[in-house]
Amino acid sequence: MLFKLSFSSMRKSFKDYLVLLFGLTISIAIFYMFQTLAQNKVFLESNAMISSIVFVFHVGTFILAAITIFYIFYATSFMLSMRQKEMGMYMTLGAKKYKVAQMMFFETFFIGMISLLIGIAIGIGLAEGIASLFMWQLDFSGEGFEAFYLSSIMTTVIFYVILFSLTSIVNAVKVARQSVLELLHADRKHDEVNTKGSRTIIGVFFAIALIAVGYYAMIHIDKLVQFGVILAAITITIGTYLIFISFLPYFIKKLKGIRTLNEKGLNAFTLAQLRFRVMNLTKVLGTVTMLIALGLGALTAGISFYHNIEKQSSMFQTNDVVVHQPSETDEEIIETLNITEQHEYRYKVKKDGVYFLKEDLLNNPPLIREFNPEIKEIPEPKSVATSLPAEKYAWNEDEQMKAMPEGWYTAISTELNTSFYMFGGRDIYIYDKTNFQKIDGKEQHVFTAMIEDFKEALPKLEKIDKGQQEIAASMTGEKPETTGSKYSNYVAIKGFSNGTIFMGFFLGVAFLMMMASVLMFKLLSSANADIQRYDMLRKIGVRRSVLTKSIYRELFLVFLFPAIIGLVHVLVGMQMFSFIIIEPYTKIWIPISIFILIYGIYYVMTVQMYKRIVLPKEE
Amino acid sequence: MSKPVLQVKNLHKIYGKKNQNQYHALDHVSFTINEGEFVGIMGPSGAGKTTLLNVISTLDDASEGTIEIAGTNITSMKQNQLADFRSEQLGFIFQDFNLLENLTVYENIALPLSLQGVSSKKIKPNVEKVAQRLGIESILKKYPVTISGGQKQRVAAARALVHEPAMILADEPTGALDSKNAKSLMETIMDLNENHDVSIMLVTHDPLSASYCQRIMFIQDGKLYKEINRNSTREVFHQQILNVLAEFSG
Ligand SMILES: Nc1ncnc2c1ncn2[C@@H]1O[C@H](COP(=O)(O)OP(=O)(O)O)[C@@H](O)[C@H]1O
Ligand SMILES: [Mg+2]
């Protein structure tokens, strides 16, 4: 009989259950998505740039599991808050306590199992969708990745069945422990506000000190290495929680203390609600902040690695295109490029050497980038300024000839691409006109150019590079794997970055989806308690629009604090990558915009659902 | 003759949609309350008292008829206008107090003024004035959970009064109070009416509370069925009320 009642009331409040189902499903889908990567060691090891990536994923699994446990408890307590009044009513009508507790267990578990089914299905779909989107974007084959991964399904099922059993028991026990009156008046609790000044000051001091240590560790990660990562993780996490425990409640209290602000319009109420949230949500806000930091961090690192490919490949070469002995097809392709600067240099090839014409070089000294291991930015191009007074110079000094000066050496080997791949073991010489003419051999030339948009020209450059491989083959008798051109460097760097970028994107999106829904749940689970407050305000004549505005403002601030702190963590945290990424902050607006978009959607969704709960429908 | 503060004409309220079983909660009710009057509405449970109050207080809309409060016809107003009207012209006291428990007593009382955009400099003396009138100056800094039911109802009354509304509407304000607190609250309300010219409409089913009114209208099955005026002492009026109720149930 009770079960029939329970089903019919579940059908009635179907929309509320939809909210719950949605949240649980997201959590399960994300957990599963993460597992498809984390458990696929073959994929991880063969695609990651960072050798300890499997370790990183172990830590990730641990963090995600911990967060998920919190999350599921919040979500199911949302369910309890929805149902407890009714449960209390059944008890006043004479239902036995254990029966009602049993019913609560059954309901929680039932919802859990449904969401597990849907969640895994959506998880497989999401993993497939996001993976193929990123793989397509990155032009990355991602061999070994499988969206439908059996062992991940097993892990997810086992983990959630255990978790739902636990939360169902907890819900049942909670119902059983409370008295009928407590259940009936569950929505009328008062929240004490205790914020002692001295405690706050100590808390804030420790928070700032800990975060400062963590930031220091991240900035000096090159010296502290793995110890630094662990140190930063611990200090920043604790510091973040401390900020939410000590500083934020104090701040809101002070804000509320400003009479002119507090007594304006509905502010007294809005601020009271906000104070209540901040007091009750310290742990959630801290968790959300850390999730934002992790998610946004992974995303930013991924995108940073992505832009790094082009930078890394521009690290040494100024010229985007270098074509030896251009063929007719090469000429045609060159015609279509957006060239900003171009030159030609004549040379002759013999069995033992390549001879460049000094006058050509001096007329248009190539721009070079001087590599300096100390500097973390791309070196500025400089034209070679050293004069060449002698008639002949050689790559390697010998009795007859001087070695070519440093800058010229770089210019010829790198900018004119006379690498081993192109010319094999031949020596390189610079001869003046008179001596150049004496060499018997066909006069050749190398064409160099800088173009407007390197990435856009990639398909054309690929064709040119194929041709250059043929020429290299004719020089060395063997077709090389790479020509040493900027294009071939780009392809090589991209090859080993893509796996890392893919993981960054994938995890980043997963974490971001997760974090905002944690907040959404916690907020919605307390919404039932606010119904009366809004109803009273409506009765004394507060316009609906004013109430709506109050909700928007209050929740905006609740969403804002974790976002700001999480963002600062990420901005500092990107320093960790500065030893493998050149200029890690390039285009940081992209991940930040993605974050703001996802977060914004959650914010608006939360406001809408909250409004639906606390404000009666418009007539 | 003083002018009317509330004019109800031919008011009809139907619950339930057409073609379904409809319920006529108010059946063509008409009456007038003058400025400075203290009128009680009595009747058995389910008679339509709360419905009447809700419709007058613009919380619910009428199916038929007109309501004029302080010269304004509220039956044709839009949602936002109604909200503004409530916040400016009406004060409410409900049975279950309806205080915001996350605000202090002071903040609760100040709310109607804040909502009307009164500056915080002017709010303070106003709040203190009504608090004094209702004898709750000492608890202004407290939160509602820490005060008694009687005090809560005084706070609710203070909040209903602070913006000097045209009329106060009270629905069973003594319903959740013990007899001592009920008596003291009714004395305060009567004082507000007699010495401060506040117009009051009080819904109750408690004869003792009703005896503080000047006039009582009895309602049953959505119809006004009797009206009596107080023309001697409260004790006599109390007896008169009991007689009507006895006659009614008999
Ligand atoms: N929202 C509603 N929908 C349908 N019927 C209602 C509604 N509100 C009240 N009623 C009915 O109208 C009648 C009068 O109710 P009410 O005004 O609350 O009575 P009172 O306050 O005098 O006890 C009751 O029979 C009640 O069942
Ligand atoms: Mg009633």
Side-chain angles (χ1 to χ4, degrees):
Chain A
M1 180 60 209
L2 268 178
F3 285 93
K4 242 189 209 159
L5 269 177
S6 141
F7 259 122
S8 79
S9 72
M10 273 167 95
R11 252 211 316 270
K12 254 184 274 156
S13 46
F14 181 68
K15 273 188 185 161
D16 292 324
Y17 279 96
L18 221 54
V19 175
L20 182 67
L21 216 56
F22 175 73
L24 294 177
T25 306
I26 283 188
S27 149
I28 294 162
I30 291 166
F31 187 86
Y32 172 78
M33 256 171 78
F34 186 87
Q35 292 304 320
T36 56
L37 272 194
Q39 298 195 359
N40 197 334
K41 286 211 175 58
V42 184
F43 174 78
L44 290 183
E45 274 163 357
S46 57
N47 286 294
M49 255 173 99
I50 305 160
S51 56
S52 53
I53 197 84
V54 177
F55 166 76
V56 171
F57 271 85
H58 278 314
V59 175
T61 303
F62 178 75
I63 296 175
L64 188 66
I67 292 164
T68 306
I69 293 172
F70 268 118
Y71 180 82
I72 297 299
F73 273 94
Y74 289 146
T76 45
S77 75
F78 168 62
M79 173 151 174
L80 183 67
S81 77
M82 260 170 22
R83 305 280 292 130
Q84 54 191 359
K85 215 166 174 174
E86 199 178 319
M87 300 284 168
M89 218 178 62
Y90 294 153
M91 281 201 247
T92 32
L93 295 178
K96 294 223 171 55
K97 214 168 206 182
Y98 83 91
K99 267 277 177 204
V100 173
Q102 204 182 349
M103 185 166 127
M104 196 67 225
F105 176 88
F106 166 76
E107 279 192 29
T108 315
F109 199 72
F110 179 71
I111 293 284
M113 290 306 106
I114 291 184
S115 41
L116 188 56
L117 275 179
I118 307 175
I120 288 181
I122 292 181
I124 294 170
L126 265 182
E128 182 64 50
I130 294 182
S132 43
L133 175 74
F134 289 151
M135 285 179 186
W136 172 71
Q137 264 290 314
L138 295 170
D139 191 15
F140 167 57
S141 67
E143 254 161 80
F145 178 80
E146 284 170 59
F148 185 91
Y149 203 65
L150 206 61
S151 87
S152 307
I153 295 181
M154 291 307 292
T155 315
T156 311
V157 168
I158 294 171
F159 181 71
Y160 276 93
V161 168
I162 295 177
L163 200 51
F164 281 129
S165 308
L166 283 176
T167 51
S168 305
I169 291 173
V170 167
N171 268 2
V173 168
K174 271 190 195 159
V175 168
R177 275 237 198 103
Q178 280 175 16
S179 72
V180 180
L181 277 178
E182 276 171 335
L183 285 173
L184 282 174
H185 300 297
D187 46 359
R188 298 192 192 181
K189 271 189 199 128
H190 170 70
D191 0 289
E192 281 292 343
V193 183
N194 284 320
T195 39
K196 285 220 185 76
S198 59
R199 246 183 60 193
T200 306
I201 291 168
I202 295 170
V204 170
F205 172 78
F206 272 107
I208 290 174
L210 283 168
I211 290 177
V213 169
Y215 282 2
Y216 180 87
M218 290 200 294
I219 292 168
H220 297 277
I221 203 80
D222 46 343
K223 287 176 206 113
L224 301 168
V225 213
Q226 278 204 346
F227 169 71
V229 177
I230 296 169
L231 180 70
I234 295 173
T235 51
I236 292 177
T237 308
I238 299 176
T240 304
Y241 279 103
L242 267 178
I243 283 199
F244 284 104
I245 292 168
S246 61
F247 174 68
L248 209 55
Y250 183 73
F251 175 72
I252 305 287
K253 193 185 162 196
K254 281 281 157 216
L255 209 60
K256 201 163 165 37
I258 304 170
R259 286 252 322 271
T260 46
L261 180 77
N262 194 41
E263 289 173 13
K264 202 161 154 233
L266 203 52
N267 281 356
F269 176 75
T270 311
L271 286 171
Q273 289 286 92
L274 187 61
R275 181 183 56 191
F276 165 73
R277 302 260 179 256
V278 165
M279 295 294 296
N280 281 267
L281 299 184
T282 48
K283 277 175 244 122
V284 185
L285 292 177
T287 309
V288 170
T289 307
M290 293 314 293
L291 276 175
I292 291 175
L294 287 174
L296 184 56
L299 197 63
T300 311
I303 287 176
S304 204
F305 269 106
Y306 181 70
H307 292 298
N308 188 49
I309 298 173
E310 195 187 341
K311 293 229 193 64
Q312 201 75 267
S313 52
S314 320
M315 190 75 179
F316 309 108
Q317 281 139 320
T318 313
N319 284 311
D320 299 304
V321 195
V322 178
V323 193
H324 284 281
Q325 307 163 28
S327 66
E328 258 170 52
T329 6
D330 290 339
E331 302 278 8
E332 276 166 28
I333 297 170
I334 289 167
E335 286 281 298
T336 66
L337 294 171
N338 278 327
I339 293 172
T340 52
E341 194 180 326
Q342 68 179 69
H343 301 293
E344 282 183 14
Y345 305 94
R346 279 169 285 178
Y347 66 88
K348 286 179 179 172
V349 186
K350 284 195 350 184
K351 232 197 208 129
D352 59 337
V354 185
Y355 302 83
F356 280 89
L357 178 58
K358 187 171 97 173
E359 281 72 11
D360 275 3
L361 292 169
L362 286 174
N363 285 346
N364 293 303
L367 290 172
I368 58 166
R369 295 190 200 272
E370 274 171 357
F371 180 66
N372 179 349
E374 289 293 296
I375 293 172
K376 286 179 180 159
E377 285 145 27
I378 302 177
E380 276 304 307
K382 277 190 285 195
S383 67
V384 189
T386 344
S387 59
L388 294 170
E391 291 176 359
K392 298 178 180 178
Y393 291 92
W395 191 298
N396 296 309
E397 191 172 14
D398 60 21
E399 305 91 61
Q400 304 158 22
M401 268 178 256
K402 284 171 97 177
M404 51 182 88
E406 184 78 30
W408 287 106
Y409 175 86
T410 314
I412 290 180
S413 63
T414 314
E415 296 302 333
L416 304 186
N417 191 18
T418 56
S419 64
F420 183 81
Y421 305 114
M422 284 306 297
F423 292 108
R426 289 180 177 83
D427 264 328
I428 311 291
Y429 301 95
I430 301 176
Y431 275 27
D432 70 358
K433 206 165 186 174
T434 356
N435 288 299
F436 186 75
Q437 273 162 357
K438 281 184 205 152
I439 294 167
D440 118 67
K442 202 180 158 219
E443 191 182 285
Q444 309 279 12
H445 73 272
V446 53
F447 169 87
T448 68
M450 281 177 249
I451 56 176
E452 206 115 292
D453 191 341
F454 178 75
K455 269 166 93 173
E456 191 194 54
L458 283 171
K460 294 173 185 168
L461 298 181
E462 186 183 356
K463 281 190 200 132
I464 291 180
D465 214 61
K466 285 244 168 70
Q468 293 294 292
Q469 280 185 325
E470 297 301 328
I471 287 169
S474 74
M475 293 282 160
T476 62
E478 197 181 353
K479 201 167 155 183
E481 269 181 33
T482 167
T483 57
S485 66
K486 185 172 166 183
Y487 170 80
S488 64
N489 286 345
Y490 178 87
V491 172
I493 296 167
K494 191 170 151 182
F496 58 76
S497 306
N498 266 347
T500 313
I501 297 169
F502 174 76
M503 289 170 208
F505 283 5
F506 197 87
L507 288 188
V509 171
F511 272 129
L512 289 183
M513 282 167 71
M514 182 93 186
M515 58 79 203
S517 60
V518 169
L519 193 49
M520 184 170 110
F521 259 94
K522 190 59 191 170
L523 288 170
L524 291 180
S525 69
S526 64
N528 272 312
D530 295 333
I531 294 176
Q532 261 203 330
R533 298 176 185 172
Y534 284 93
D535 185 47
M536 196 237 96
L537 288 169
R538 194 182 59 88
K539 278 184 184 163
I540 67 167
V542 184
R543 280 183 178 212
R544 198 186 155 87
S545 57
V546 175
L547 290 177
T548 306
K549 211 166 92 191
S550 164
I551 294 175
Y552 267 104
R553 273 198 203 162
E554 176 204 333
L555 296 186
F556 179 77
L557 289 173
V558 173
F559 271 78
L560 183 69
F561 296 122
I564 289 177
I565 299 176
L567 199 61
V568 174
H569 287 348
V570 171
L571 290 178
V572 179
M574 285 312 288
Q575 283 290 333
M576 286 199 292
F577 295 97
S578 59
F579 74 103
I580 36 174
I581 299 179
I582 313 157
E583 297 165 10
Y585 294 99
T586 320
K587 302 212 177 153
I588 195 154
W589 62 267
I590 296 176
I592 292 179
S593 312
I594 295 177
F595 161 66
I596 291 175
L597 185 76
I598 296 182
Y599 205 59
I601 290 174
Y602 270 107
Y603 164 65
V604 173
M605 250 168 46
T606 310
V607 171
Q608 293 307 328
M609 291 191 189
Y610 185 82
K611 251 174 60 184
R612 221 179 58 74
I613 298 176
V614 299
L615 294 182
K617 288 231 173 65
E618 212 136 9
E619 275 146 50
Chain B
M1 266 301 283
S2 54
K3 32 177 205 167
V5 64
L6 171 70
Q7 271 184 301
V8 174
K9 281 187 197 140
N10 206 24
L11 188 62
H12 203 75
K13 173 76 191 173
I14 305 172
Y15 284 120
K17 293 197 184 85
K18 268 185 191 162
N19 308 327
Q20 288 171 8
N21 37 344
Q22 294 187 328
Y23 187 83
H24 296 249
L26 292 176
D27 195 354
H28 301 99
V29 175
S30 301
F31 64 91
T32 302
I33 294 179
N34 288 326
E35 256 178 25
E37 251 197 307
F38 184 5
V39 175
I41 309 280
M42 285 196 82
S45 191
K49 305 185 294 291
T50 300
T51 306
L52 178 64
L53 200 87
N54 282 347
V55 173
I56 291 173
S57 63
T58 75
L59 290 170
D60 209 341
D61 49 358
S63 309
E64 230 184 285
T66 56
I67 301 166
E68 266 184 40
I69 299 176
T72 315
N73 184 350
I74 59 162
T75 30
S76 56
M77 281 189 181
K78 295 257 175 345
Q79 282 294 326
N80 277 340
Q81 286 175 302
L82 287 176
D84 291 348
F85 183 82
R86 278 204 294 280
S87 69
E88 284 157 24
Q89 301 292 340
L90 299 177
F92 295 96
I93 311 174
F94 300 95
Q95 173 175 354
D96 49 2
F97 317 127
N98 263 306
L99 297 176
L100 287 167
E101 74 278 21
N102 55 357
L103 297 185
T104 60
V105 166
Y106 178 92
E107 287 172 324
N108 263 291
I109 300 174
L111 200 57
L113 295 177
S114 300
L115 286 169
Q116 284 175 27
V118 178
S119 75
S120 69
K121 221 187 281 168
K122 284 190 196 142
I123 288 178
K124 200 168 183 224
N126 276 311
V127 172
E128 279 166 356
K129 199 172 77 193
V130 282
Q132 195 181 16
R133 209 187 283 167
L134 288 156
I136 48 171
E137 314 97 294
S138 60
I139 55 166
L140 284 177
K141 288 209 173 97
K142 293 193 171 172
Y143 282 91
V145 272
T146 61
I147 62 178
S148 74
Q151 284 174 319
K152 276 185 204 168
Q153 208 53 299
R154 283 165 187 277
V155 175
R159 191 188 56 197
L161 270 175
V162 73
H163 56 299
E164 297 179 346
M167 189 158 92
I168 287 190
L169 301 168
D171 189 1
E172 312 264 12
T174 56
L177 300 182
D178 58 53
S179 60
K180 191 170 144 255
N181 271 310
K183 193 159 177 272
S184 131
L185 180 73
M186 286 317 298
E187 274 162 9
T188 312
I189 291 180
M190 192 174 71
D191 172 68
L192 290 175
N193 170 254
E194 283 175 357
N195 303 323
H196 301 276
D197 288 330
V198 183
S199 317
I200 300 169
M201 180 173 143
L202 170 85
V203 164
T204 184
H205 66 258
D206 169 31
L208 190 72
S209 298
S211 68
Y212 288 86
C213 300
Q214 295 162 347
R215 174 159 68 106
I216 293 180
M217 294 186 277
F218 292 88
I219 181 170
Q220 189 191 10
D221 297 335
K223 291 193 185 95
L224 282 185
Y225 114 125
K226 200 180 176 87
E227 192 177 310
I228 54 172
N229 283 289
R230 173 170 148 194
N231 25 37
S232 61
T233 64
R234 193 176 64 74
E235 284 71 22
V236 174
F237 196 45
H238 185 201
Q239 194 51 53
Q240 256 180 304
I241 294 167
L242 291 174
N243 292 343
V244 173
L245 291 178
E247 161 193 334
F248 165 88
S249 59

